[in-house]
Amino acid sequence: MDAIEEVEIVIVGGGICGLATALALHRFVFCVKSLIFMSNHDLDLIYNVRTNLKSNRNMLNRKGIRSVVLERSETLRETGSGIAILTNGWRALDELGVGSKIRPTALPVQRVGEARCVKRSDLINAMADELPLGAIRFGCDIISVNLDSKTSFPVLQLSNGSSIKAKALIGCDGSNSIVADFLELKPKRIFALCAVRGFTNYPNGHGFAPDLTRMIKGEVLCGRVPVDENLVFWFIVQKFNYQGSKFPKDAELIRQFSLDSIRNFPTERLEMVKNCDVASLSLTQLRYRTPWEILLGKFRTGTVTVAGDAMHIMGPFIGQGGSAALEDAIVIARCLSWKMLEADQLEDSSKQIMSGKIGEAFEMYVKERRMRLVWLSAHTYLFGSLLETTSGLVKVMIGVTILVLFHNPTYHTRYDCGRL
């Protein structure tokens, strides 16, 4: 029987959330200045750390907590074309130290605060480049997660027959998360809507204003936002009614499907889709977790938790999927780093003590994120339901509810997830 590899922190999924979480842990810097960001309930830890600093000068420059990202693909997953990053997301990227690298790649969108549509590949590569060599392992397909009978630490079984035991396991593996399945989270709900996303390049410049424009005709929504002076990101959302109840997978079929969807739209929109980069096209059915499932869901068991789409997949209607995942990364790294530091200060640093501290960290993380995610999921759920329904009365009721609960359309961009 092969020996089980032991790793301190395992992150499943090398997408935006997984790489951001690994980078946040790597960026965590312990120094005296960091203590001012700790809450009052950590005063005992502050006292102990200050005392130990006098005898252990190495702690002063302690930087980073090592983690391993397990990615199923053989390369970084760059599919998905563009992604909106709003003000709250840029705060998180600046905290990760990559905001200044990504900003020059995308035009600011004209709206309150900072909003840009960035190429997913630019964002993924910028974060991956900042991670230590070997932090990402490709071709790691996880088939099961179980708990070790002695330590209660999670054990991951890979398709190649190997096993990995982790002190902490964070599932950032998207909507079809095996870690979410282990936590027995309810299956994702499915909107009766699908979305096509893609890029179109204009060699001589597109001439569009740097703004997000949406156009609705009948039951079809078509949106467009410039990435730079030549590149435009666009999306089409409509009810799922493809013949045979199967999505076309061939890129040319997806383009034709998109053209058929917007045949009554202005010519410039038709030309935009007709001349798109077919390699950038993706067609997905929109999924979500309801706000009440976010409110009541158990997102942590022992030293296992989830983040990003594995935790709170939501529709694209308010553009917060990527930014919320970046917030998750900052919060979970902060909670985990401080609790592991707290365990280091104890004379008894047994596996049971470490397991308890990691569990406390994940509980803090879930508690801090829950209500923020309830509001985001409620907003997107209502917006998706508005597009789904054909009843005029129901549309009016949903519209009034949105106006009452979310009368400030930019409220969700003002959130500050804090420092590492």
Side-chain angles (χ1 to χ4, degrees):
M1 181 176 179
D2 294 337
I4 298 178
E5 180 185 4
E6 296 192 10
V7 177
E8 192 163 61
I9 300 174
V10 168
I11 298 168
V12 181
I16 291 173
C17 187
L19 295 179
T21 302
L23 184 55
L25 289 166
H26 176 63
R27 290 288 193 203
F28 176 80
V29 179
F30 172 70
C31 63
V32 176
K33 291 182 180 179
S34 300
L35 298 177
I36 66 174
F37 299 109
M38 299 182 67
S39 56
N40 290 333
H41 73 271
D42 288 317
L43 289 177
D44 289 340
L45 174 58
I46 293 174
Y47 174 79
N48 291 335
V49 168
R50 284 175 174 168
T51 302
N52 288 337
L53 279 173
K54 297 178 181 179
S55 59
N56 188 355
R57 303 305 299 176
N58 290 332
M59 290 180 63
L60 185 62
N61 296 315
R62 174 176 175 173
K63 179 178 179 179
I65 294 179
R66 179 175 175 78
S67 63
V68 173
V69 179
L70 303 182
E71 169 54 39
R72 182 175 57 185
S73 305
E74 296 297 334
T75 59
L76 290 174
R77 291 179 289 146
E78 299 179 356
T79 56
S81 54
I83 185 168
I85 303 296
L86 306 182
T87 305
N88 52 304
W90 288 107
R91 290 195 188 103
L93 287 174
D94 287 336
E95 195 65 19
L96 293 174
V98 296
S100 60
K101 294 184 177 181
I102 302 171
R103 280 188 178 89
T105 69
L107 295 171
V109 176
Q110 295 175 350
R111 60 166 62 198
V112 177
E114 181 177 11
R116 302 169 193 261
C117 179
V118 304
K119 294 171 66 175
R120 179 185 171 91
S121 58
D122 288 342
L123 179 57
I124 290 290
N125 288 321
M127 292 191 291
D129 289 345
E130 296 297 315
L131 289 172
L133 186 65
I136 308 173
R137 298 186 189 179
F138 296 105
C140 295
D141 186 15
I142 299 169
I143 59 176
S144 68
V145 178
N146 297 287
L147 296 182
D148 182 84
S149 58
K150 295 181 179 179
T151 63
S152 295
F153 286 142
V155 178
L156 293 79
Q157 184 69 42
L158 277 62
S159 60
N160 62 7
S162 62
S163 299
I164 297 176
K165 181 191 292 185
K167 291 182 180 178
L169 174 62
I170 307 170
C172 303
D173 43 342
S175 60
N176 296 314
S177 169
I178 193 166
V179 182
D181 291 342
F182 167 78
L183 294 175
E184 298 182 344
L185 297 178
K186 291 184 178 180
K188 281 70 62 180
R189 309 296 182 94
I190 299 177
F191 281 116
L193 300 167
C194 65
V196 179
R197 302 174 178 89
F199 284 133
T200 300
N201 185 60
Y202 295 78
N204 299 319
H206 49 68
F208 300 137
D211 199 5
L212 169 64
T213 62
R214 302 186 196 188
M215 183 178 296
I216 298 178
K217 282 186 175 292
E219 298 178 347
V220 180
L221 181 152
C222 180
R224 179 193 69 204
V225 59
V227 177
D228 55 35
E229 289 81 2
N230 301 101
L231 191 65
V232 171
F233 170 69
W234 56 266
F235 56 91
I236 298 171
V237 178
Q238 67 169 4
K239 285 193 172 181
F240 173 52
N241 57 6
Y242 195 74
Q243 293 181 352
S245 300
K246 292 183 179 180
F247 285 147
K249 296 182 179 180
D250 179 78
E252 288 294 343
L253 289 177
I254 294 176
R255 175 162 60 179
Q256 189 58 52
F257 174 72
S258 304
L259 288 170
D260 292 341
S261 302
I262 61 169
R263 57 184 177 275
N264 296 324
F265 281 67
T267 301
E268 62 93 359
R269 299 265 171 164
L270 288 166
E271 290 296 317
M272 177 182 69
V273 175
K274 181 179 179 180
N275 298 322
C276 72
D277 174 11
V278 292
S280 70
L281 293 177
S282 63
L283 173 59
T284 56
Q285 191 158 13
L286 300 182
R287 302 179 182 184
Y288 66 99
R289 288 198 190 280
T290 62
W292 49 91
E293 288 169 343
I294 298 291
L295 179 64
L296 301 175
K298 184 180 180 183
F299 297 110
R300 193 274 296 187
T301 294
T303 63
V304 181
T305 192
V306 285
D309 282 353
M311 183 183 193
H312 51 74
I313 187 168
M314 60 184 78
F317 311 114
I318 63 173
Q320 277 289 0
S323 295
L326 293 170
E327 290 177 3
D328 291 345
I330 298 296
V331 175
I332 199 169
R334 181 173 64 239
C335 294
L336 186 55
S337 298
W338 279 110
K339 281 298 178 179
M340 292 184 74
L341 177 64
E342 186 176 338
D344 287 345
Q345 307 309 306
L346 302 174
E347 292 183 3
D348 180 6
S349 58
S350 65
K351 291 183 177 180
Q352 283 188 332
I353 294 296
M354 180 61 73
S355 175
K357 291 299 179 182
I358 294 173
E360 289 176 15
F362 286 169
E363 194 64 35
M364 289 170 57
Y365 153 71
V366 171
K367 182 178 180 180
E368 182 172 343
R369 296 298 293 151
R370 192 182 295 277
M371 291 311 300
R372 162 68 170 167
L373 297 172
V374 165
W375 283 102
L376 291 179
S377 62
H379 198 169
T380 55
Y381 171 74
L382 287 170
F383 204 117
S385 299
L386 186 65
L387 291 176
E388 266 189 327
T389 185
T390 58
S391 169
L393 178 60
V394 174
K395 283 183 181 291
V396 171
M397 293 174 61
I398 294 174
V400 170
T401 303
I402 292 175
L403 287 175
V404 171
L405 295 179
F406 309 105
H407 57 277
N408 183 346
T410 63
Y411 82 96
H412 51 84
T413 70
R414 300 177 182 178
Y415 182 83
D416 188 346
C417 62
R419 302 287 301 274
L420 284 174

